[in-house]
């Protein structure tokens, strides 16, 4: 699992930095959404190190975890995607929450902005109010292959849509290219209220009715959020960050991640040993 691959000077994982940044931004609890067959090694290698530092809980995603009235179709072996993963955590998340990928480095600013957003009083009426950290496309690429990114359309500081684009390489970005590099992209770094869960369940039911027989179909979180925006059920504020995202999309990316973290540690952004 990439989540337990060390990248920091004292053996820290990318996830360790996410938990550290979330904790110092004011988050008090982390819920890991994992597969049942990962549970023992995840608890030992990941969860145990946070004991006494932040609350830890687990939710389990499986292809059989579905709303009432639905069952896994024959041939389906994997879970149903990122929106399904979030829905699977509904019973473990009673309050406002952030969503991240466990193997992506988002930077301290991302968590600080989400914490501030989620701490603000909720509007007494109107659409649900959510948030998304927006990264510049140019800062989310890999030198070692193509990537898929959720290209965002926004106006007035609010997200209008997220369109998944695949096969983006550094050669596609720059002056005169398909992408300028300044495009805002979603890297699955979100702020939500519990109102998301019933909305996801409704969408999940529609998704399963339409695609439940497809063994490879996935219910993606950006698409689910886009649908809520289109229906007027939610407004999503885009919180831009100048931070560089990085992750190990390809095995060859690991040295770059190690170097970037070493630089941050050298500048004093992180201690040499987190936990």
């Amino acid at each position: 699992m990439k989540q337990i691959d060390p990248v920091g000077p004292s053996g820290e994982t990318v996830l360790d930095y996410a938990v550290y940044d979330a904790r110092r931004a004011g988050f008090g609890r982390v819920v890991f959404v994992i597969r049942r067959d990962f549970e023992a090694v995840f608890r030992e290698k990941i969860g145990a190190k946070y004991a006494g530092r932040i609350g830890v809980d687990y939710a389990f995603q499986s292809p059989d975890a579905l709303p009432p009235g639905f069952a896994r179709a024959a041939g389906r072996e994997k879970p149903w995607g990122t929106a399904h993963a979030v829905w699977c955590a509904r019973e473990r998340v009673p309050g406002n929450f952030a969503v991240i990928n466990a193997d992506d480095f988002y930077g301290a600013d991302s968590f600080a902005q989400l914490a501030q957003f989620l701490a603000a009083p909720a509007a007494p009426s109107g659409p649900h109010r959510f948030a998304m950290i927006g990264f510049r496309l140019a800062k989310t690429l890999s030198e070692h292959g193509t990537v898929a990114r959720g290209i965002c359309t926004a106006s007035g500081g609010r997200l209008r849509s997220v369109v998944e684009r695949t096969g983006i390489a550094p050669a596609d970005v720059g002056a005169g290219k398909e992408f300028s590099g300044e495009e805002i992209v979603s890297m699955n770094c979100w702020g939500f209220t519990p109102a998301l869960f019933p909305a996801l369940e409704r969408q999940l039911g529609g998704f399963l009715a339409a695609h439940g027989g497809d063994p490879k179909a996935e219910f993606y979180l950006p698409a689910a959020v886009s649908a809520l925006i289109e229906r007027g059920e939610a407004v999503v504020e885009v919180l831009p960050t100048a931070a560089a995202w990085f992750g190990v999309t390809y095995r060859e990316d690991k040295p770059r991640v190690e170097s970037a973290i070493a630089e941050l540690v050298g500048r004093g952004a992180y201690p040499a040993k987190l936990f």
Side-chain angles (χ1 to χ4, degrees):
M1 294 184 296
K2 289 189 291 182
Q3 291 90 339
I4 61 174
D5 199 17
V7 293
S10 299
E12 291 87 357
T13 66
V14 170
L15 180 56
D16 289 337
Y17 288 96
V19 173
Y20 182 86
D21 283 335
R23 180 173 174 264
R24 64 176 171 174
F27 289 87
R29 188 160 162 265
V30 57
V31 177
F32 297 114
V33 183
I34 60 174
R35 298 203 318 251
R36 282 277 183 191
D37 55 321
F38 284 177
E39 181 179 5
V41 68
F42 208 96
R43 285 181 181 270
E44 176 188 355
K45 300 293 186 181
I46 300 293
K49 73 175 72 174
Y50 307 134
R53 296 180 172 91
I54 192 169
V56 175
D57 205 347
Y58 298 86
F60 299 98
Q61 184 185 23
S62 77
D64 293 311
L66 297 172
F70 293 95
R72 172 171 51 157
R76 182 80 192 194
E77 298 295 333
K78 65 178 184 177
W80 298 89
T82 50
H84 177 248
V86 174
W87 177 79
C88 287
R90 66 199 181 281
E91 295 180 358
R92 297 288 183 265
V93 183
N96 294 352
F97 63 103
V99 170
I100 65 166
N101 294 333
D103 51 4
D104 289 358
F105 185 98
Y106 295 104
D109 180 62
S110 298
F111 293 94
Q113 289 203 63
L114 287 176
Q116 183 177 11
F117 174 86
L118 294 170
S125 61
H128 306 310
R129 183 171 166 264
F130 304 144
M132 183 200 81
I133 299 294
F135 289 83
R136 289 178 54 242
L137 173 62
K139 292 195 173 186
T140 69
L141 303 175
S142 170
E143 300 173 358
H144 303 288
T146 62
V147 297
R149 294 288 179 259
I151 305 295
C152 300
T153 300
S155 63
R158 289 184 172 179
L159 185 66
R160 300 304 176 192
S161 66
V162 184
V163 177
E164 189 77 7
R165 293 292 302 272
T166 59
I168 302 175
D172 301 320
V173 178
K177 303 295 181 64
E178 183 177 4
F179 302 100
S180 70
E182 296 299 317
E183 292 85 359
I184 295 295
V185 296
S186 166
M187 300 302 295
N188 266 346
C189 190
W190 304 89
F192 294 117
T193 71
L196 178 71
F197 294 121
L200 280 184
E201 182 158 332
R202 291 191 297 272
Q203 284 199 49
L204 180 57
F207 171 86
L208 293 168
H211 307 289
D214 181 348
K216 296 184 178 181
E218 294 198 45
F219 182 42
Y220 291 114
L221 186 57
V225 173
S226 283
L228 293 176
I229 294 170
E230 290 172 9
R231 296 170 187 166
E233 296 181 38
V235 295
V236 179
E237 294 190 23
V238 177
L239 308 178
T241 181
W245 167 96
F246 48 86
V248 184
T249 304
Y250 298 94
R251 185 177 299 275
E252 296 83 359
D253 292 324
K254 184 177 177 180
R256 172 178 173 267
V257 174
E258 292 174 323
S259 176
I261 288 176
E263 181 182 349
L264 289 167
V265 171
R267 296 204 319 253
Y270 298 94
K273 184 175 179 60
L274 291 185
F275 300 110

